[in-house]
DNA sequence: TTGTAAGCGTTATCAC
DNA sequence: GTGATAACGCTTACAA
């Protein structure tokens, strides 16, 4: 019942160190170290004795000291533009869980969508000698990235890419997702489709916009520039874009929002303006929020597993950290269309 | 244009160390250290020379070495039951941002709602000699907590409490929130109100349940046990509870869900079963999700700023880490009722 | 004002 | 098999 870690003496006992364990057994620190790490041959007797002493003294090796010596911290840095966003939070969880079982800790930084903060974050992490980096860039350049990291630390980018940089990359099937959304709207007979795009600083934004333009062209439709709005990934931006689109002389009959946030902004404006969805305007979204079925109208969207993005990225990173960087590997996480009512379909249970 | 961190020589240049800086100026390491840390008096000339050399060599002090020596890591551990949950993700962001500006890094651990994992996480963090702990407990006991941390590391609990443990605590106004919700349902004339409570392992769960019982009693109503369901904080649990409640011989006329997740589960079941909200059943929720206004029907709820919870907790922790633990401080983050349609009110824009 | 030396807790390289 | 000894990169008495 008594707390093992405090003593009756006035002095609070310091945590046991390797030297303490060694002394307690009567061997040298190096022997104790070898015993605990199972390195090298040694008499079973002393090994057992050391193990017993370590247990008895409640010895906990200091990762700090170990890292200083071995130059490995078993820590990876995780950098995202906004941890509070459902997507990044889920990716974080996926990554964290894989990393934890692989024996790595994660140090988290939020770049607040700023390239400068992102560079600061990377600098801090590199200073800490993290073994690897997982970053969803806010739009850093290849050169800046190399300058900060010295290209010494394995890095896997996810969500958005930085040219050919890094030991690997995980992104979504952006083009495929946009294609299926555009096709679906075409099937519903829409001719004037508007795009509410996200930030063009990141490839996750530009790939979707590019894919949209390509899909419309491929279908032989023409594409007025006024039907394309780009801005930050926020609900407010989605609302503003929708308002602008609805005020057009000939407004679109359908809107494709490039993220759930943007779709939500669109939804709320339509509600305010009493625009009936999907009759007066159809809406589809790249990104299926977990409450998509409960919105009014329920949201037709392209969905995917956000935690899988983090998990896959972490997997590549562990690979790169342990086996050295081999081929640069790119993974695309698949997406799938979920038909609901906002496009004009019926809910499917 | 050329990368500063690589050399033309075959050998990749090692990052400059304090010794390198000192040597380059022709002073001792201690002098260089003092110059860089601005400690002690010294000739402006040498100080300037050291600073210049550090700059020129791109010197970056090693936090690892520094921490080993000073026994301060400028790192705080952050432990939550589920980072992917919107509430914890927002709290994380609030905490992270305050900590970052205060000069601390955050090391993240997810306890996956398991007490054992939570203890492991705490152990890991303590081993890493974090300067402080921010934990939303999954239900650890006081004694276990003390055993792991040795009560050496300042800890601020948030969301849920551990008896009187820790240097401080930040929670929501659970009782006030439940009271206002129950009162509001009473105003709408409801006599049979059911509660879908969350996990009773955590005080955030038990406080809400207790407050509910008290509020009903205070109003002189009687409270059949069948109207209270407790379970995990998941949408699935909310759905299951709702299904059970609706099958009762005399089902409730109103439901109070103790979290947004639980309310969502309720909502989806009502949709499946064609139960009309709010006419056949009223629903209110403790926790106002950011898309609450866009649900069908829009959700009446008690809301609060989740990032403020993290920020406040981080504030208390920084205080405790820098000025030593003084009085144990408890903060309650305020909540406020948001009337929407699910209770029978009209939307207010 | 500056330098010397010890030490933070490990691990790695040698001898023995 | 095991033990000195020397790092890892920094801070801080204490001495000069």
């Amino acid at each position: 019942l008594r707390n093992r870690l405090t003593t009756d003496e006035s002095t609070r006992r310091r945590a046991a160190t390797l030297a303490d364990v060694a002394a307690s057994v009567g061997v040298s620190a190096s022997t104790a170290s070898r015993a605990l790490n199972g390195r090298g041959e040694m008499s079973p007797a002393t090994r057992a004795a050391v193990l017993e002493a370590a247990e008895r003294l409640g010895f906990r090796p200091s990762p700090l000291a170990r890292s200083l010596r071995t130059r490995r911290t078993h820590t990876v840095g995780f950098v995202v533009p906004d941890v509070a966003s459902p997507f990044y939070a889920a990716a974080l969880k996926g990554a964290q869980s894989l990393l934890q079982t692989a024996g790595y800790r994660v140090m988290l930084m939020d770049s607040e969508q700023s390239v400068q903060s992102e560079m600061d974050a990377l600098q801090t992490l590199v200073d800490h000698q993290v073994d690897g980096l997982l970053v969803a860039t806010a739009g850093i350049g290849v050169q800046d990235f190399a300058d900060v990291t010295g290209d010494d630390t394995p890095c896997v980018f996810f969500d958005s890419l930085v040219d050919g940089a890094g030991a690997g990359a995980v992104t979504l099937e952006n083009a495929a997702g946009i294609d299926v959304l555009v096709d679906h709207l075409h099937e519903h007979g829409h001719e004037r489709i508007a795009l509410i795009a996200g930030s063009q600083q990141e490839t996750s934004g530009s790939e979707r916009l590019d894919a949209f333009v390509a899909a419309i062209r491929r279908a032989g439709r023409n594409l007025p520039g006024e039907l394309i709005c780009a801005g930050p990934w926020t609900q407010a931006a989605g609302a503003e874009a929708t308002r602008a689109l609805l005020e057009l002389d000939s407004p679109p009959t359908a809107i494709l929002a490039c993220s759930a946030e943007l779709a939500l902004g669109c939804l709320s404006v339509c509600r305010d303006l009493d625009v009936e969805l999907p009759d007066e305007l159809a809406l589809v979204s790249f990104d299926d929020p977990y409450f998509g079925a409960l919105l009014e109208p329920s949201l037709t969207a392209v969905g995917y597993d956000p935690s899988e993005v983090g998990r896959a990225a972490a997997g590549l990173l562990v690979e790169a950290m342990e086996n050295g960087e081999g081929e640069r590997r790119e993974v695309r996480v698949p997406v799938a269309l979920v038909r609901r009512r906002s496009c004009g379909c019926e809910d499917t249970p």
Side-chain angles (χ1 to χ4, degrees), chain A:
Chain A
L1 280 168
R2 191 169 300 160
N3 186 332
R4 307 180 279 107
L5 296 177
T6 57
T7 65
D8 295 332
E9 313 157 49
S10 63
T11 143
R12 165 172 286 163
R13 195 195 312 167
R14 298 276 300 244
T17 155
L18 182 63
D20 298 337
V21 174
S24 147
V25 180
V27 299
S28 75
S30 20
T31 302
S33 172
R34 281 185 291 246
L36 291 166
N37 297 315
R39 247 189 274 287
E41 295 299 298
M42 59 188 311
S43 98
T46 51
R47 159 153 300 150
V50 170
L51 260 37
E52 182 277 331
E55 172 76 23
R56 177 166 41 82
L57 298 178
F59 169 70
R60 313 242 81 218
S62 157
L64 237 47
R66 193 199 298 258
S67 295
L68 185 59
R69 183 63 238 237
T70 62
R71 317 185 133 281
R72 301 213 63 211
T73 53
H74 289 279
T75 299
V76 335
F78 189 93
V79 187
V80 285
D82 176 16
V83 232
S85 128
F87 171 69
Y88 293 121
L92 171 53
K93 182 160 178 115
Q96 146 84 33
S97 119
L98 188 148
L99 289 171
Q100 185 151 322
T101 60
Y104 292 88
R105 265 75 61 193
V106 6
M107 188 156 270
L108 174 77
M109 312 248 77
D110 189 314
S111 66
E112 322 241 277
Q113 330 236 29
S114 138
V115 173
Q116 185 55 55
S117 306
E118 182 175 336
M119 291 187 53
D120 293 349
L122 289 171
Q123 184 64 262
T124 303
L125 292 169
V126 168
D127 288 350
H128 271 266
Q129 290 168 240
V130 292
D131 292 343
L133 251 14
L134 243 25
V135 2
T137 186
I140 201 179
V142 231
Q143 188 56 58
D144 283 344
F145 178 76
D147 280 354
V148 172
T149 66
D151 271 335
D152 269 348
T153 311
C155 175
V156 171
F157 291 96
F158 67 97
D159 185 43
S160 277
L161 305 181
V162 174
D163 282 9
V170 177
T171 47
L172 296 172
E173 287 184 328
N174 288 312
I178 294 292
D179 285 354
V180 65
L181 252 14
V182 170
D183 285 353
H184 189 65
L185 289 174
H186 280 157
E187 285 167 16
H188 275 288
H190 291 283
E191 294 281 340
R192 275 183 78 74
I193 305 178
L195 183 79
I196 304 184
S199 159
Q200 297 301 298
Q201 288 270 99
E202 301 127 58
T203 59
S204 52
S206 57
E207 283 192 358
R208 291 174 207 175
L209 194 154
D210 294 348
F212 179 76
V213 173
I216 297 289
R217 292 258 161 75
R218 193 173 335 113
R221 276 33 177 217
N222 72 333
L223 181 56
E226 55 186 17
L227 290 188
I228 296 197
C229 317
W233 297 104
T234 62
Q235 206 173 319
E240 191 183 343
T242 303
R243 227 174 263 117
L245 288 169
L246 291 176
E247 280 172 2
L248 250 32
D249 287 338
S250 69
T253 63
I255 289 182
L256 193 174
C258 280
S259 83
E261 288 296 298
L262 296 169
L264 255 29
C266 175
L267 219 52
S268 69
V269 163
C270 290
R271 178 161 301 199
D272 289 351
L273 268 40
D274 282 322
V275 174
E276 284 290 327
L277 301 184
D279 302 335
E280 298 177 48
L281 181 72
L283 171 66
V284 298
S285 151
F286 191 110
D287 197 356
D288 180 28
Y290 72 104
F291 47 85
L294 300 174
L295 296 169
E296 184 53 39
S298 56
L299 189 65
T300 292
V302 133
Y304 51 87
D305 180 357
S307 72
E308 176 57 25
V309 175
R311 193 163 28 242
L316 290 186
L317 183 61
V318 169
E319 172 75 15
M321 291 188 300
E322 322 224 299
N323 307 339
E325 318 196 9
E327 285 293 279
R328 176 169 188 283
R329 292 177 51 196
E330 265 198 52
V331 172
R332 291 267 172 182
V333 171
V335 302
L337 179 66
V338 182
R339 291 160 215 249
R340 299 211 189 86
R341 293 200 321 279
S342 69
C343 62
C345 286
E346 284 307 302
D347 267 326
T348 47

